[in-house]
Amino acid sequence: MTEIVRLPIERWDSPCSLQDQTTAITALESGNVVLLPQLDFPLRDNERDFYFLSTGAEVKGKNISLSPGDNTVRGSSADVAELGVLRDMMVRFSAVSQGLVQRLLPSYTATLEQGRTSFRPLEVAGRPSSWRKDDSRLHVDSFPSSPTRGKRILRLFSNVNPVGQGRTWRLGEPFEQVARRYQSSLQGQPWGSSQILEMLGITKGQRSAYDHYMLQLHDRMKADGDYQASAEQFTFAFPPGSSWLVYTDQVSHAAMGGRLAFEQTFYLPVSGMQDPAKSPLRVLERLMGRELV
Ligand code: SIN
Ligand code: FE
């Protein structure tokens, strides 16, 4: 079962010991969560005001995102002044995240790509949604419009809740167990469909067989009420003022409660891993007996 591996890192910019680096990379690639209980993302006074006053009315969807590269903020209807505060705060989270990952996982630096940053101000519990988008059901991450073609999805979260509220997750069984459970129900990819999806602009880039199977795993898990109730799992509340790293394409997870968190996504090619055999791509290829990208 997934373990929570704690590291006593207190600062975003301090060097990480070789021992912490080894512990982190091994834990993450083995499908565990690396929790940094003392690593708080400090907010500035004007940002804190923004938070406390925030009713969530300025959030259009589940979260507010910052695109890497051009720093465009999406998902917020905040006015120009608030948008500036929001952007600065998210740019800062993206920068400290990048620095931390470079120091904690230095062997990834050469191939790691920084993806979107997100700010999640709204309460997770009781949020209405379709079953497919319902992240309070156990799932592995896979997104219909963004094929990864095998690249890993590594995410760094920080719970910045100012009133002592944890961010509660359920964590489930290892990836290979999930894959074996649903393997016989996975359907092949219709011939030519990946080209059509890309041509129609439904996917950014071509959906590989790997993405096709990962999406089905995501959906099968979420749609299966018995599985949600009876799968091996435990509940864990990430404390306010803590940060954690996790491969969300591998670790079965469900967000059950909490508000006010940041998240930074990174993508890593399988070849950049310490042990590529542990990737969902290689696990699925081994189970299916063929290449999937
Ligand atoms: C998810 O990745 O399913 C949601 C995690 C969260 O927002 O806490
Ligand atoms: Fe998820």
Side-chain angles (χ1 to χ4, degrees):
M1 182 122 78
T2 302
E3 284 170 39
I4 310 277
V5 177
R6 289 168 173 77
L7 288 179
I9 292 170
E10 289 174 18
R11 288 176 51 99
W12 293 92
D13 58 358
S14 57
C16 298
S17 69
L18 198 57
Q19 194 188 337
D20 284 355
Q21 293 172 22
T22 309
T23 304
I25 197 166
T26 306
L28 290 169
E29 293 192 3
S30 306
N32 295 315
V33 177
V34 170
L35 172 61
L36 312 169
Q38 285 122 286
L39 193 63
D40 187 18
F41 177 62
L43 298 176
R44 296 183 174 149
D45 287 343
N46 60 337
E47 295 166 346
R48 214 169 272 283
D49 292 346
F50 179 76
Y51 270 103
F52 279 117
L53 296 175
S54 161
T55 56
E58 60 288 313
V59 189
K60 287 192 256 172
K62 282 204 275 208
N63 45 54
I64 296 171
S65 73
L66 176 83
S67 304
D70 66 357
N71 287 346
T72 324
V73 175
R74 288 203 177 77
S76 169
S77 55
D79 65 27
V80 177
E82 280 180 336
L83 209 57
V85 175
L86 202 57
R87 180 180 295 112
D88 288 353
M89 182 172 76
M90 294 178 74
V91 166
R92 213 170 66 250
F93 186 74
S94 129
V96 294
S97 299
Q98 187 179 24
L100 175 81
V101 166
Q102 282 171 353
R103 276 178 282 274
L104 188 59
L105 303 164
S107 68
Y108 284 178
T109 310
T111 51
L112 194 73
E113 283 165 41
Q114 191 148 7
R116 268 199 294 222
T117 313
S118 87
F119 174 48
R120 308 181 173 197
L122 300 182
E123 174 57 54
V124 167
R127 200 160 51 186
S129 117
S130 65
W131 64 267
R132 195 174 263 125
K133 289 192 173 153
D134 182 1
D135 288 337
S136 72
R137 299 175 190 223
L138 287 167
H139 65 283
V140 288
D141 280 351
S142 178
F143 303 100
S145 61
S146 324
T148 70
R149 305 183 61 83
K151 275 188 190 158
R152 306 303 315 277
I153 305 177
L154 176 65
R155 293 186 143 168
L156 171 67
F157 292 86
S158 274
N159 180 1
V160 293
N161 188 281
V163 292
Q165 188 185 8
R167 195 167 187 89
T168 305
W169 282 19
R170 288 188 290 147
L171 289 156
E173 58 187 7
F175 182 80
E176 182 159 344
Q177 218 165 303
V178 178
R180 282 182 185 277
R181 188 183 294 268
Y182 291 105
Q183 188 180 2
S184 63
S185 73
L186 301 182
Q187 284 156 9
Q189 195 175 25
W191 190 83
S193 66
S194 63
Q195 285 87 346
I196 293 169
L197 289 171
E198 187 187 22
M199 240 159 51
L200 295 176
I202 295 170
T203 57
K204 293 189 262 315
Q206 273 190 22
R207 186 181 286 177
S208 63
Y210 168 75
D211 296 292
H212 178 75
Y213 290 125
M214 286 297 284
L215 274 174
Q216 287 184 71
L217 266 188
H218 167 277
D219 288 0
R220 295 279 186 281
M221 291 171 83
K222 282 189 174 174
D224 185 343
D226 284 344
Y227 179 72
Q228 292 295 324
S230 64
E232 190 189 336
Q233 59 187 281
F234 66 99
T235 299
F236 185 80
F238 294 97
S242 74
S243 301
W244 61 102
L245 275 156
V246 53
Y247 273 119
T248 53
D249 55 354
Q250 174 178 9
V251 174
S252 163
H253 62 285
M256 308 310 294
R259 65 182 289 261
L260 293 164
F262 285 91
E263 177 268 327
Q264 174 64 54
T265 300
F266 298 93
Y267 298 100
L268 185 81
V270 163
S271 60
M273 294 173 66
Q274 173 177 266
D275 184 1
K278 295 205 168 88
S279 63
L281 173 64
R282 296 289 178 249
V283 170
L284 286 176
E285 287 184 333
R286 183 158 46 75
L287 293 180
M288 299 192 165
R290 66 181 185 98
E291 282 186 20
L292 297 178
V293 175

